[in-house]
Amino acid sequence: MAAAKFLRHLTDAGGHQPSIGDDDGGRVVVSDFSEPRYASSILGCLAGLTGNADLAPPQVEPQFRHALFGVPKAAPHAQSAVLRYDVGGYTVARSHDKGTETLAVFDHGPLGYLSIAAHGHADALSLWLHLGGRPVLVDAGTYLYHAGAVWRDFFRGTIAHNTLTVRGLNSSSIAGPFNWSAKANCKVVGYDPNPDHWAVEAEHDGFVEATGYRHRRRVARTAPGTIEITDQLVGNAGVERVEIGFLFAPDLSLSASGGGWVIAAAGRPILRLRHEGGLKGWVERGMESPKRGWYSPAFGAKLAAPRLVFTGKLWSGASARFTLTLP
């Protein structure tokens, strides 16, 4: 039941969930392997099995598994709430601002499941964002396993996720398609669950051995329709070159405007992003060398996607701040 409640809280108004870690498309009972809201359909089955209507997804689509578990009734939109899951290591914040549902998910947990973490990604302190029932800030996905060769490392690496890297390093060290030689450890250092002005601050030690620094990130709702992200290097080392990336869904467009960037869907602005600090920002998409700006919507598939990247130097006491605002 706890897992079902977590999955429901991860579900946006359109029936989508953030894609986190590996997904090879494995299914047990299925009528269509391409179903885009598979996890939401599972929620419907859980609602039927447990009799808990609150678990039902916001949209119900006909599926073969309904013959086994019954047809659930679509649930109304979820209420605003901020929930922190310490075992898995995620904070999930939902709010409704300016007529838009905002769903933000912040990763401050372990690399993956148990000691091997075979299907985990080096995504410590990554952020996912859904607006109005659609994915906006996304995980790069999986693409391929053994057959992926260098692509496997790219899609699991830190640069493919919405977080910071130092010197281009991975926060956890890859050692083969399903193995790791070192794992980042995260911890929460600050937390305010008030839905009106929530804030979560966490750090990880994945760069300490190489640089002497921990990466600390604070994600906060500072006003209705506004989320602020602050990145710092914590320690007593020297100046380091960093890269902070934000990968957007491939159907979105980005354009520079008024000292920031406007993110649009079918020509309609849905988000504005501004940066404060000394980093330089630009948009990259579908690059081969180095690999940047790719998104895998399903196992074996990859698409070029816009990635807003900021590079420059950070040091102890300096910070990079990003403000995401609904238009």
Side-chain angles (χ1 to χ4, degrees):
M1 181 62 75
K5 290 181 178 179
F6 174 66
L7 181 58
R8 182 61 183 90
H9 198 59
L10 277 178
T11 302
D12 68 19
H16 310 101
Q17 300 81 21
S19 175
I20 300 173
D22 279 350
D23 177 10
D24 59 13
R27 305 287 189 265
V28 177
V29 178
V30 65
S31 53
D32 179 4
F33 277 96
S34 66
E35 60 179 306
R37 296 181 179 86
Y38 168 73
S40 285
S41 179
I42 298 303
L43 276 176
C45 295
L46 292 169
L49 283 172
T50 63
N52 186 345
D54 291 337
L55 296 179
Q59 300 180 22
V60 175
E61 299 164 330
Q63 296 292 341
F64 173 73
R65 60 182 67 90
H66 289 164
L68 301 174
F69 304 106
V71 181
K73 182 179 179 181
H77 71 271
Q79 298 299 312
S80 297
V82 181
L83 297 177
R84 175 175 150 193
Y85 298 89
D86 286 327
V87 175
Y90 297 97
T91 292
V92 183
R94 185 192 315 274
S95 59
H96 298 85
D97 300 311
K98 304 180 181 180
T100 299
E101 180 198 70
T102 299
L103 179 68
V105 179
F106 182 38
D107 177 7
H108 46 70
L111 173 65
Y113 184 60
L114 299 180
S115 60
I116 189 171
H119 293 286
H121 288 190
D123 57 2
L125 307 190
S126 190
L127 180 71
W128 295 261
L129 181 68
H130 290 203
L131 297 175
R134 67 179 303 146
V136 175
L137 282 178
V138 298
D139 189 287
T142 305
Y143 186 40
L144 292 170
Y145 288 158
H146 294 287
V150 294
W151 285 106
R152 173 62 171 159
D153 287 355
F154 166 74
F155 277 98
R156 288 205 300 165
T158 300
I159 282 175
H161 297 85
N162 302 317
T163 187
L164 172 148
T165 180
V166 183
R167 304 181 193 172
L169 299 170
N170 290 320
S171 55
S172 293
S173 301
I174 297 172
F178 295 95
N179 298 95
W180 305 87
S181 59
K183 302 175 186 175
N185 297 297
C186 297
K187 68 175 182 179
V188 175
V189 297
Y191 179 61
D192 180 355
N194 187 316
D196 293 330
H197 51 74
W198 57 265
V200 189
E201 189 169 8
E203 64 183 29
H204 74 78
D205 62 1
F207 304 128
V208 168
E209 183 174 350
T211 72
Y213 279 124
R214 300 186 305 279
H215 171 208
R216 179 175 292 180
R217 169 169 278 188
R218 184 177 189 268
V219 182
R221 182 181 191 260
T222 57
T226 301
I227 292 176
E228 188 176 273
I229 304 163
T230 305
D231 288 306
Q232 295 177 297
L233 298 180
V234 179
N236 295 308
V239 176
E240 290 287 354
R241 186 164 185 82
V242 302
E243 179 175 333
I244 303 172
F246 298 95
L247 182 67
F248 291 86
D251 59 335
L252 300 177
S253 62
L254 277 65
S255 59
S257 175
W261 284 265
V262 173
I263 296 87
R268 180 178 65 87
I270 61 172
L271 185 69
R272 176 179 288 274
L273 188 151
R274 290 181 177 273
H275 165 59
E276 296 176 37
L279 305 185
K280 178 183 177 182
W282 69 91
V283 178
E284 53 193 18
R285 183 185 184 111
M287 294 172 56
E288 291 280 354
S289 182
K291 290 178 172 32
R292 298 286 193 278
W294 292 98
Y295 170 73
S296 176
F299 194 77
K302 73 179 191 296
L303 302 171
R307 179 177 184 253
L308 182 53
V309 57
F310 297 85
T311 63
K313 295 178 180 179
L314 281 184
W315 54 92
S316 180
S319 64
R321 182 172 292 110
F322 307 91
T323 304
L324 285 61
T325 309
L326 296 178

